[in-house]
């Protein structure tokens, strides 16, 4: 990722605007690598200011996939903090900006969850299943949402 993804200007701008990135060399700092329970490289972890983990991804990602995963992580943080309206917006942003990435189906799923959590209206879940089934019929997230149909 150091050769392709990290030097991408959009990635640089997004990371600088949203995170305080830290990089550890697993060959030189095995103690820190273990402290973060990283099993493979690269491992990207999104923590909040209290060092609570909200999202983790492992392995190489293209710039587009990386940005979609980082936005998914920010949305997950909003969800974890029970800021459901903000989470819905963040999840929908992932779906709209990165519809062909693996993160999109997960984001659509959790946008439905957050809409339900904010309103307790189960129609959001059914609508989300319908959208998942139309846009991502083979996705695990669609399968997980089948109960909402």
């Amino acid at each position: 990722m150091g050769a392709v993804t990290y030097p991408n200007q959009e990635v640089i701008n997004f990371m600088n605007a949203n995170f305080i990135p830290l990089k550890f060399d697993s060959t030189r700092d095995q103690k820190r690598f273990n402290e973060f329970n990283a099993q493979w490289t690269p491992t990207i972890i999104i923590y909040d200011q209290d060092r609570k983990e909200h999202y983790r991804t492992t392995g190489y990602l293209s710039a587009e996939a990386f940005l979609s995963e980082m936005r998914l992580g920010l949305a997950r943080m909003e969800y974890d903090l029970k800021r459901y309206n903000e989470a819905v917006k963040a999840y929908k942003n992932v779906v709209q900006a990165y519809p062909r990435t693996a993160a999109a189906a997960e984001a659509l799923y959790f946008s439905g969850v957050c809409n339900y959590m904010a309103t307790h209206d189960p129609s959001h879940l059914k609508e989300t299943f319908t959208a998942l089934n139309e846009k991502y019929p083979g996705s695990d997230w669609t399968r997980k949402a089948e109960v909402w149909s």
Side-chain angles (χ1 to χ4, degrees):
M1 287 189 14
V4 176
T5 304
Y6 296 147
N8 177 288
Q9 194 59 51
E10 189 177 356
V11 169
I12 292 168
N13 293 344
F14 182 79
M15 294 301 289
N16 287 337
N18 294 284
F19 299 104
I20 301 171
L22 302 171
K23 183 178 178 181
F24 303 104
D25 183 337
S26 63
T27 61
R28 294 185 183 165
D29 195 352
Q30 191 65 46
K31 181 181 176 191
R32 182 146 324 233
F33 196 69
N34 292 337
E35 178 184 329
F36 287 94
N37 195 29
Q39 304 296 317
W40 190 246
T41 62
T43 296
I44 312 295
I45 307 168
I46 296 177
Y47 284 99
D48 63 20
Q49 65 274 10
D50 297 322
R51 201 170 173 214
K52 180 179 185 241
E53 182 175 326
H54 293 279
Y55 191 77
R56 173 183 294 245
T57 186
T58 303
Y60 170 79
L61 296 166
S62 68
E64 178 183 41
F66 180 82
L67 289 166
S68 71
E69 294 281 335
M70 294 302 96
R71 288 184 186 276
L72 189 63
L74 290 174
R76 181 57 189 239
M77 188 180 314
E78 296 291 352
Y79 170 76
D80 289 348
L81 296 172
K82 299 182 181 356
R83 297 190 297 227
Y84 299 122
N85 292 326
E86 292 84 355
V88 168
K89 291 175 193 168
Y91 281 126
K92 286 186 176 186
N93 178 273
V94 174
V95 175
Q96 291 169 353
Y98 307 99
R100 289 184 284 281
T101 65
E106 182 176 354
L108 182 54
Y109 177 94
F110 277 103
S111 72
V113 169
C114 290
N115 267 323
Y116 172 75
M117 296 298 285
T119 65
H120 299 287
D121 179 354
S123 70
H124 292 296
L125 299 175
K126 186 172 183 168
E127 291 168 10
T128 300
F129 170 73
T130 301
L132 280 163
N133 202 35
E134 289 173 5
K135 294 179 181 181
Y136 309 103
S139 167
D140 286 344
W141 295 102
T142 302
R143 182 183 50 76
K144 291 175 182 183
E146 282 177 356
V147 69
W148 302 341
S149 67

